[in-house]
Amino acid sequence: MTVHLYPLANGLSTDHPVPGLPFVDDSHIPLDEGPEAIEAVGRNQGEGMWGRYDPHRSSGGWRAFTTDPHDHSLGWSVRYHPEHGRTVLLMKDDDTATLHSTWDGEQLLYRAGGYWFDGTTWYRPGQVWDPVEQDYEKRQARAAVTVSAADMLDRRADAARAAVLDIADIDAEAPAPVVENWGDHLALWAAHQAERDGALPLERCVVDLATPELSGAQLIGVPEMAELGGITASTLRAYISRGNSEVPQPQALVGGRDQWARAVADDWVEARRRSYEGVRAVMSTGDRDQLSRGAADVRDHFAADFQNTLWGRPDVRKRWVLRARNEDSVQEIADALAWNVASSLDRILPTHLLGHTVESAVLHDFADAIDLDREVAKKQPRKQEWLHLWVSRPVAATLDWFIRHHPESAHHYIGEITREASTRWGIPAEDTLYTLRQAVATDGKLNQKDAESFFALLTPPEKND
C-alpha cells in the first residue's frame, strides 16, 4: 500500500507527528466528539463520500475514517488508543479503508516504509509468512530506540516560522509535501499540544525510531536489491512500476532514488524463497519444462508408454504411413493414448493413499460436529437426542472425485468410515451414509441416479428390501 500520510492539524489532532511532513488544519473534523461523529461526516452524506468506525476490542480503543467534506479525493484516518493516545492521518480517500483494516491489529504507527510500533517494540515490515500462525512473522528491528517529540525539539526552532496548511493546499495526486524547517513546525505543534486537554506529554508522543538498520551504511538501492533477489535491476524496476505488492516499500529516498534497509531486503529475499514460486523452484526438476518432480515422473511414465504404443506396436506404427493416415486412424490412436492415461490414474494418485486420507478427513469432520453438538446440548438441553453430522465442502468434493474415479476403492473406504463411526460414536450406518450421500449431492458432480445406485450398494444387507 503506497499512501500519502500527513500528520494533521491545528495542533489538536495527533500525539504522533510524522517527521518531515507538514501539519494540516483538521478543525472541520469533529475529532474530540468520538468515532461516531467522525464516521457521520462522510457516511451517506453524498456521492463519493463514506465513513466508518470500529472498536478495537483488544486495546479498548477505536479507529475511524471519513472522506473530507471539502475535498472528496482526500480522507482522514483516526486511531485512538487509551494508553498511547491518538493518531490522525490525512491521506488519499481511496486508501483510508485499507489502513482501517490494517489498524485492526497491533500496529499503532508506521515509519520508514513499513517499520511499525506496537506501543513497546519496533518491528520490520511484515514479509515472511508464518503458515502456522497464518500471519507475517514479527521481526524486531535491531537495537531500535523510540524517538519522542521531546527528543526532537530544538531550542533554535521558531514556531513563528511555521504554518498550518489548509485542506485546500493539499493535492491528493501530487507527491507528499516535505518541509525542510520541520523543527519549526514541531515547535508550533508542541505549543498547541501544551494547551490540549488530555494530551500526552511530549516524552510519550512518538515521532520516529532510530535503529542501526536504517543507518546510511545499511541502505541499498535497486541494483543491490535486485542482485540479492536473484533478478535483474530492470525486472525489479518493472515490479515496482506495476505496484507489485511483494516488493517492500523503500525506507528512504536519497538523491531521488529509492533505498531499502539491508535487513528489509534480506527479509524480502527470504519471503521470495518461501513463496509459491520459490517452493516450485525448489521442487522442480530444473529442466526446461520446469515440472515438479512428481509431475516429471508422470511425464516420463507416459512418454515411455506412448512411445511403446505409437512405435512399439506394428499395427499402430503402420498408421504413420501417409496413405494410411486419415481422421479415423488418428482418432483410434488418440483413443488408445487416452485409455492409457485413464487406466493409469492409480499411478498419478495412488488409491490407497487417497482412500485413507478421505477416511481420516471425514471422521475428523464428524468429530468436530459431535463436539459442537455436545457443547450446544450443554447450553440448551433437549427432550430428544439428535445428532447433526456434516462434511466440509473440500472433503465432500474429494469424496465425490474418489467415487467417480475409483468407485471400488471408494466403496471399501466408505465402508471403513461407516464401521469406525459406529464403533467410535455409535452412529447408525444409515445416518453416516445419508450424510455422505447428501454431501456428495451438494458439493460434488455425481448425478443423483448414480449416487443413489452407488450408496444403495453400501447399505447393510439386513436393511435391504
Side-chain angles (χ1 to χ4, degrees):
M1 176 180 65
T2 302
V3 296
H4 296 164
L5 304 179
Y6 306 87
L8 304 180
N10 50 15
L12 302 177
S13 338
T14 180
D15 289 314
H16 309 293
V18 182
L21 297 179
F23 294 91
V24 182
D25 184 6
D26 63 359
S27 59
H28 58 302
I29 304 296
L31 298 175
D32 293 325
E33 297 178 22
E36 297 93 337
I38 296 171
E39 175 191 81
V41 171
R43 194 177 186 91
N44 299 320
Q45 294 301 311
E47 185 176 355
M49 297 189 68
W50 193 245
R52 174 171 176 166
Y53 85 91
D54 288 283
H56 195 268
R57 292 179 175 82
S58 62
S59 69
W62 50 264
R63 64 197 193 280
F65 70 89
T66 183
T67 304
D68 184 87
H70 302 319
D71 185 343
H72 296 177
S73 66
L74 296 168
W76 303 80
S77 291
V78 186
R79 173 164 177 167
Y80 172 74
H81 190 284
E83 179 182 354
H84 299 289
R86 187 169 64 195
T87 299
V88 187
L89 298 173
L90 177 63
M91 48 202 308
K92 289 183 177 180
D93 189 57
D94 290 342
D95 294 323
T96 54
T98 302
L99 180 61
H100 188 80
S101 299
T102 304
W103 258 347
D104 187 36
E106 300 175 274
Q107 300 89 339
L108 291 175
L109 299 170
Y110 292 95
R111 295 291 185 268
Y115 278 75
W116 59 277
F117 185 59
D118 68 355
T120 304
T121 306
W122 286 96
Y123 299 91
R124 292 199 293 273
Q127 299 186 81
V128 181
W129 185 256
D130 184 340
V132 177
E133 297 294 334
Q134 286 294 293
D135 200 355
Y136 291 105
E137 285 190 6
K138 295 166 56 176
R139 298 190 169 184
Q140 293 187 24
R142 291 191 293 272
V145 175
T146 300
V147 180
S148 71
D151 297 326
M152 296 198 72
L153 279 175
D154 189 337
R155 296 183 199 175
R156 295 168 296 177
D158 184 357
R161 293 195 296 261
V164 177
L165 296 181
D166 186 86
I167 193 70
D169 299 323
I170 304 299
D171 181 358
E173 299 303 320
V178 178
V179 291
E180 295 183 1
N181 63 326
W182 193 73
D184 298 332
H185 289 256
L186 183 62
L188 176 61
W189 170 84
H192 284 290
Q193 183 80 347
E195 300 173 358
R196 176 182 160 198
D197 291 336
L200 293 179
L202 298 184
E203 292 77 12
R204 293 179 58 196
C205 295
V206 178
V207 176
D208 208 350
L209 81 154
T211 168
E213 295 181 9
L214 296 175
S215 65
Q218 293 296 315
L219 296 178
I220 61 175
V222 168
E224 299 88 350
M225 179 91 160
E227 184 178 0
L228 287 174
I231 58 178
T232 65
S234 60
T235 299
L236 178 56
R237 290 190 181 96
Y239 287 167
I240 295 170
S241 66
R242 292 198 299 265
N244 187 313
S245 61
E246 294 178 358
V247 179
Q249 295 182 52
Q251 276 61 65
L253 191 66
V254 180
R257 298 179 182 274
D258 290 335
Q259 300 281 294
W260 289 265
R262 175 60 188 260
V264 173
D266 288 340
D267 287 349
W268 174 66
V269 172
E270 182 178 349
R272 282 173 56 82
R273 189 172 67 251
R274 291 174 176 270
S275 68
Y276 290 151
E277 291 76 11
V279 172
R280 186 183 303 118
V282 167
M283 295 303 295
S284 73
T285 57
D287 58 18
R288 66 179 184 179
D289 291 340
Q290 292 297 303
L291 293 173
S292 66
R293 290 182 173 83
D297 289 343
V298 173
R299 176 200 60 193
D300 294 343
H301 166 73
F302 285 109
D305 199 22
F306 292 169
Q307 168 72 12
N308 180 64
T309 299
L310 297 173
W311 193 253
R313 291 172 49 186
D315 60 317
V316 175
R317 188 171 64 219
K318 69 181 182 180
R319 296 181 182 276
W320 295 116
V321 179
L322 186 61
R323 59 184 173 79
R325 196 182 311 164
N326 53 53
E327 184 177 354
D328 290 339
S329 63
V330 171
Q331 183 63 57
E332 289 179 15
I333 294 172
D335 290 343
L337 297 178
W339 184 89
N340 284 340
V341 175
S343 63
S344 301
L345 285 177
D346 192 54
R347 292 188 61 92
I348 300 173
L349 182 59
T351 55
H352 69 284
L353 300 180
L354 176 61
H356 183 75
T357 302
V358 170
E359 178 186 345
S360 298
V362 170
L363 293 175
H364 181 273
D365 283 350
F366 278 14
D368 282 349
I370 291 168
D371 288 344
L372 179 60
D373 200 62
R374 286 171 178 168
E375 289 297 321
V376 172
K378 290 179 183 178
K379 299 176 182 178
Q380 302 175 2
R382 308 175 184 131
K383 295 180 180 180
Q384 183 177 358
E385 287 294 325
W386 59 276
L387 182 64
H388 177 227
L389 295 174
W390 75 70
V391 177
S392 61
R393 294 186 64 183
V395 175
T398 304
L399 177 62
D400 170 80
W401 189 95
F402 195 21
I403 294 171
R404 289 185 292 109
H405 291 79
H406 301 288
E408 65 284 1
S409 293
H411 183 280
H412 167 76
Y413 282 101
I414 292 175
E416 288 294 301
I417 292 170
T418 304
R419 180 185 62 80
E420 184 65 23
S422 176
T423 301
R424 190 183 303 184
W425 298 296
I427 301 174
E430 57 266 28
D431 290 352
T432 296
L433 295 176
Y434 174 80
T435 300
L436 298 183
R437 185 170 68 250
Q438 289 299 107
V440 168
T442 303
D443 298 307
K445 298 180 180 179
L446 198 65
N447 65 56
Q448 183 178 356
K449 180 180 179 181
D450 289 344
E452 290 177 353
S453 298
F454 176 81
F455 279 96
L457 298 175
L458 284 158
T459 303
E462 63 272 19
K463 300 291 184 179
N464 284 338
D465 294 331

